[in-house]
């Protein structure tokens, strides 16, 4: 028992050491508690940083929204394509209803007509109808009658521009031609090396006949390009296929026919080639030669 008690007997120096050790442990506990609870940080600075961070987050969010927002421009709803309808938020069924209605050679002449034909929701209609742009003669029955009455005495005089110099933006002034069709016309023209005759506008995929007529009133071939014709009696299949009108398999058939029957003496011989678009031969031969 005496030996056991001897373990708890300390002199003054030892007692002082134990006291300071306990004091140091208590101080460490207090400091840890203060740090973990943020007592050493100013609430004002923390609030300032939070506001700055939130402002940055809001700015990035707004930029993302602006980037992903589809910007609308005035357009004629009669010529809504599948892609245009998709970007507007129309369903496949609604787009098909519009196309089926247009296939009967009828036009949507008002917002009410568009609603009746497509049966789109009121919310979607309210968001896109402000951008509908109907031709002047379709705005009302009275206007339509007025135009018909004055048709023989009054006509619109357009300033005709060169189709070979027209830009994508220039072509969009024609009713029925938007960003997609105007880009397609320019691409087709560039692949040809330029339009030689006005009738080539009929060969642009997706251009409806009535749109071609409106386009031809404002754009014509004023300056013909310097076309280097392809000699079908000398050119390879690869060289012949560079012409946008002729696919590679048809070009190979032309070369095979030449090797089997000798040189071409007339462009009319091309009608014997399988797959050759005979109805476009007058335009195709503008880019070919047999010399």
């Amino acid at each position: 028992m005496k030996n056991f008690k001897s373990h708890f007997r300390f002199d003054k120096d030892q007692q002082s050491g134990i006291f300071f050790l306990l004091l140091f442990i208590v101080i460490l506990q207090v400091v840890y508690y203060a740090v973990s609870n943020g007592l050493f940080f100013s609430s004002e600075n923390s609030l300032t940083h939070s506001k700055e961070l939130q402002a940055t987050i809001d700015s990035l969010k707004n930029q993302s929204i602006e980037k992903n927002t589809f910007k609308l421009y005035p357009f004629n709803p009669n010529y809504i394509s599948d892609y245009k309808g998709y970007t507007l938020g129309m369903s496949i069924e609604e787009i098909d209803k519009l196309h089926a209605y247009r296939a009967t050679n009828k036009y949507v002449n008002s917002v009410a007509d568009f609603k009746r034909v497509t049966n789109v929701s009121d919310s979607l209609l309210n968001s896109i109808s402000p951008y509908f742009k109907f031709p002047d003669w379709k705005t009302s029955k009275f206007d339509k009658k007025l135009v018909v009455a004055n048709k023989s005495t009054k006509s619109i005089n357009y300033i005709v521009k060169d189709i070979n110099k027209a830009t994508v933006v220039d072509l969009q002034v024609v009713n029925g031609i938007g960003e997609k069709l105007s880009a397609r016309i320019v691409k087709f023209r560039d692949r040809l090396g330029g339009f030689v005759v006005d009738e080539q506008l009929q060969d642009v995929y997706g251009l409806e006949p009535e749109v071609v007529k409106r386009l031809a009133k404002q754009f014509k071939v004023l300056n013909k390009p310097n076309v280097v014709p392809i000699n079908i009696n000398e050119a390879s299949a690869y060289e012949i296929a560079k012409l946008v009108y002729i696919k590679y398999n048809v070009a190979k058939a032309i070369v095979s026919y030449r090797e089997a029957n000798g040189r071409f003496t007339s462009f009319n011989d091309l009608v014997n080639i399988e797959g050759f678009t005979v109805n476009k031969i007058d335009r195709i031969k503008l880019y070919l030669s047999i010399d």
Side-chain angles (χ1 to χ4, degrees), residues 214-253:
R214 289 196 291 269
L215 178 62
K217 290 180 181 179
Q218 301 184 52
F219 295 92
K220 295 183 180 296
V221 177
L222 301 181
N223 295 290
K224 293 184 178 181
N226 295 321
V227 176
V228 179
I230 300 171
N231 190 336
I232 58 176
N233 281 321
E234 303 291 341
S236 64
Y238 175 77
E239 292 171 328
I240 296 174
K242 287 182 178 180
L243 181 59
V244 67
Y245 288 110
I246 301 177
K247 296 182 179 180
Y248 184 71
N249 63 320
V250 177
K252 287 179 64 178

Side-chain angles (χ1 to χ4, degrees), residues 35-289:
V35 171
S36 61
N37 288 277
L39 298 180
F40 289 139
F41 297 98
S42 172
S43 59
E44 182 178 354
N45 291 337
S46 177
L47 181 61
T48 301
H49 292 318
S50 296
K51 289 182 178 179
E52 292 176 354
L53 179 60
Q54 186 62 45
T56 302
I57 293 173
D58 293 340
S59 175
L60 293 175
K61 186 184 295 183
N62 291 333
Q63 291 178 13
S64 177
I65 293 173
E66 292 177 0
K67 184 177 180 181
N68 295 322
T69 300
F70 179 75
K71 191 173 183 179
L72 280 178
Y73 296 94
F75 64 94
N76 189 337
N78 286 290
Y79 301 102
I80 293 177
S81 63
D82 290 337
Y83 175 76
K84 181 73 172 179
Y86 168 77
T87 57
L88 292 174
M90 296 176 64
S91 67
I92 296 176
E93 183 181 0
E94 293 166 349
I95 298 171
D96 289 343
K97 287 181 180 178
L98 177 62
H99 290 175
Y101 182 78
R102 287 287 292 109
T104 61
N105 202 27
K106 295 180 181 179
Y107 290 87
V108 172
N109 297 326
S110 65
V111 175
D113 283 350
F114 186 83
K115 170 68 175 177
R116 175 178 56 81
V117 172
T118 62
N119 198 29
V120 297
S121 64
D122 292 337
S123 59
L124 177 60
L125 185 65
N126 292 335
S127 64
I128 65 177
S129 60
Y131 299 94
F132 286 177
K133 182 181 179 182
F134 299 101
D136 293 337
W137 64 272
K138 292 181 181 179
T139 53
S140 68
K141 292 182 179 180
F142 176 78
D143 292 337
K144 185 174 181 180
K145 291 179 181 178
L146 184 63
V147 171
V148 173
N150 296 329
K151 186 175 181 180
S152 59
T153 59
K154 185 178 181 181
S155 61
I156 300 175
N157 294 321
Y158 294 105
I159 299 176
V160 179
K161 298 182 180 180
D162 190 351
I163 187 65
N164 284 322
K165 294 182 180 179
T167 65
V168 171
V169 177
D170 292 335
L171 296 172
Q172 292 180 34
V173 300
V174 179
N175 187 26
I177 297 180
E179 296 178 8
K180 191 173 182 180
L181 280 178
S182 60
R184 188 179 298 167
I185 294 170
V186 172
K187 182 178 180 180
F188 184 78
R189 180 193 67 193
D190 293 344
R191 290 183 63 188
L192 283 172
F195 293 112
V196 179
V197 292
D198 297 333
E199 289 73 18
Q200 289 179 281
L201 291 172
Q202 302 172 16
D203 302 330
V204 179
Y205 176 76
L207 278 185
E208 297 184 7
E210 59 267 28
V211 178
V212 173
K213 290 179 182 179
R214 289 196 291 269
L215 178 62
K217 290 180 181 179
Q218 301 184 52
F219 295 92
K220 295 183 180 296
V221 177
L222 301 181
N223 295 290
K224 293 184 178 181
N226 295 321
V227 176
V228 179
I230 300 171
N231 190 336
I232 58 176
N233 281 321
E234 303 291 341
S236 64
Y238 175 77
E239 292 171 328
I240 296 174
K242 287 182 178 180
L243 181 59
V244 67
Y245 288 110
I246 301 177
K247 296 182 179 180
Y248 184 71
N249 63 320
V250 177
K252 287 179 64 178
I254 291 174
V255 173
S256 298
Y257 183 90
R258 182 184 71 200
E259 292 174 349
N261 299 279
R263 297 171 64 86
F264 290 95
T265 58
S266 170
F267 288 116
N268 290 331
D269 294 337
L270 292 172
V271 301
N272 299 317
I273 306 299
E274 184 179 356
F276 187 83
T277 50
V278 179
N279 61 323
K280 297 180 182 179
I281 190 169
D282 290 337
R283 298 193 285 277
I284 295 175
K285 67 183 184 181
L286 296 172
Y287 298 88
L288 303 176
S289 72

